[in-house]
Amino acid sequence: MSTQPTLAFIGAGNMARAIMGGLISNGYPAGQIWACDTQLDKMADLQQQGLNTTTDNNAAVAEADIVILAVKPQVLKSVALDMATAVQQHQPLLISVAAGILCSSLEQWLGGDIALVRCMPNTPALVKQGASGLYANSRVSEVQRSQTEQVMTATGIALWVDSEPQLDAVTAVSGSGPAYYFLMMEAMVAAGEKLGLSREVAQQLTIQTALGAAEMARQSDVDPAELRRRVTSPKGTTEQAILTFIDQGLPEIIANGMQACSDRSEALAEELGK
């Protein structure tokens, strides 16, 4: 018999499937995972992998040690209110990957006195290169923290923050961050074409360069600023590009964009928590 906690995913969309897939790849027993969504036929592939499937949220909660809330933020209130009695009866650990919903709102909807972790994942989790920020309320034990890490590191890295408002900063850095890099790549591809490359060549070079730079930064024992200095020769070609970026305000543009992202994350939490 498995000693792993039983998991129930409320919502079986892309993020939930990414986490489930990562767990299975890491050897987590499929029979210890429940997937719950509104249409059973859309989970047939999960059932074929050995997962338990149901359309009954309360039935899934009754089986679970850990419940992962993975529905859209706009419907989470109604879902939480419907399963509040089951949560109070069974007292599982709750992990919410729904963006923008505060712990205070979830605690109210689920009846209070619950062990709750808020998680801000990002879309590279779909290719097991995710980055998640985690915040636990005071009822989460050290064992439950470890269990949360096991679940969320199935798709990448998972880092704890000290206060819930810091999740707005996590949203600005990693939650929305992939789109920033996609925009940079989009601009580099267009510039490469303008300089005479075919779109296909410009795109392949851009993507591989982004991948290589990220891997260098990941493996390095120095920060990205030092890496940049090391590859920027005085009076060389790279320096000319970097000086142009700085002169035209790229660092300030990035900082302003990320501040706007964080501000919107905070505002959405207020709107969605009503």
Side-chain angles (χ1 to χ4, degrees):
M1 180 178 291
S2 174
T3 59
Q4 297 279 22
T6 299
L7 311 178
F9 286 81
I10 307 302
N14 288 338
M15 186 57 66
R17 284 171 173 267
I19 300 170
M20 286 186 265
L23 288 165
I24 297 297
S25 295
N26 290 345
Y28 206 93
Q32 295 294 112
I33 301 175
W34 284 79
C36 188
D37 213 317
T38 55
Q39 293 179 285
L40 202 58
D41 59 339
K42 290 187 176 181
M43 296 185 287
D45 60 315
L46 299 176
Q47 193 171 33
Q48 290 171 0
Q49 296 176 53
L51 281 71
N52 305 286
T53 60
T54 181
T55 58
D56 187 338
N57 292 343
N58 292 316
V61 170
E63 297 289 339
D65 302 299
I66 301 173
V67 173
I68 298 92
L69 301 171
V71 298
K72 293 183 183 299
Q74 295 83 354
V75 302
L76 183 52
K77 181 178 182 179
S78 61
V79 169
L81 289 172
D82 181 66
M83 57 190 278
T85 299
V87 167
Q88 289 298 314
Q89 287 176 347
H90 300 284
Q91 290 291 309
L93 167 65
L94 278 296
I95 301 174
S96 173
V97 297
I101 306 295
L102 296 173
C103 286
S104 57
S105 298
L106 286 165
E107 289 166 356
Q108 179 183 353
W109 300 337
L110 291 166
D113 296 322
I114 55 174
L116 174 63
V117 174
R118 268 191 68 194
C119 174
M120 182 65 233
N122 66 3
T123 52
L126 300 175
V127 292
K128 294 188 180 181
Q129 295 295 331
S132 298
L134 306 173
Y135 171 74
N137 73 3
S138 60
R139 298 177 185 86
V140 176
S141 69
E142 287 303 314
V143 169
Q144 290 172 326
R145 279 176 172 260
S146 296
Q147 291 171 335
T148 300
E149 291 172 11
Q150 181 185 19
V151 171
M152 296 312 304
T153 56
T155 59
I157 66 169
L159 306 173
W160 294 96
V161 297
D162 298 325
S163 66
E164 190 172 11
Q166 288 181 326
L167 288 178
D168 295 323
V170 171
T171 300
V173 174
S174 57
S176 297
Y180 315 157
Y181 290 101
F182 295 149
L183 177 60
M184 181 68 174
M185 287 189 277
E186 180 183 353
M188 288 178 65
V189 170
E193 282 190 279
K194 188 174 181 180
L195 290 168
L197 297 175
S198 70
R199 181 170 185 81
E200 180 181 0
V201 168
Q203 183 160 302
Q204 288 189 42
L205 290 174
T206 295
I207 292 172
Q208 184 63 30
T209 300
L211 177 65
E215 186 61 22
M216 285 181 66
R218 189 184 70 84
Q219 292 189 23
S220 179
D221 57 357
V222 299
D223 64 18
E226 176 59 24
L227 286 175
R228 174 181 60 79
R229 284 189 286 269
R230 291 180 181 181
V231 300
T232 305
S233 302
K235 302 185 184 303
T237 57
T238 305
E239 184 185 61
Q240 292 306 301
I242 295 297
L243 289 174
T244 301
F245 293 151
I246 293 173
D247 183 61
Q248 296 191 12
L250 181 61
E252 291 79 11
I253 289 170
I254 292 172
N256 291 340
M258 290 174 66
Q259 183 65 58
C261 179
S262 179
D263 291 345
R264 182 56 179 157
S265 176
E266 185 177 353
L268 278 173
E270 295 183 11
E271 295 173 17
L272 294 170
K274 293 178 181 177

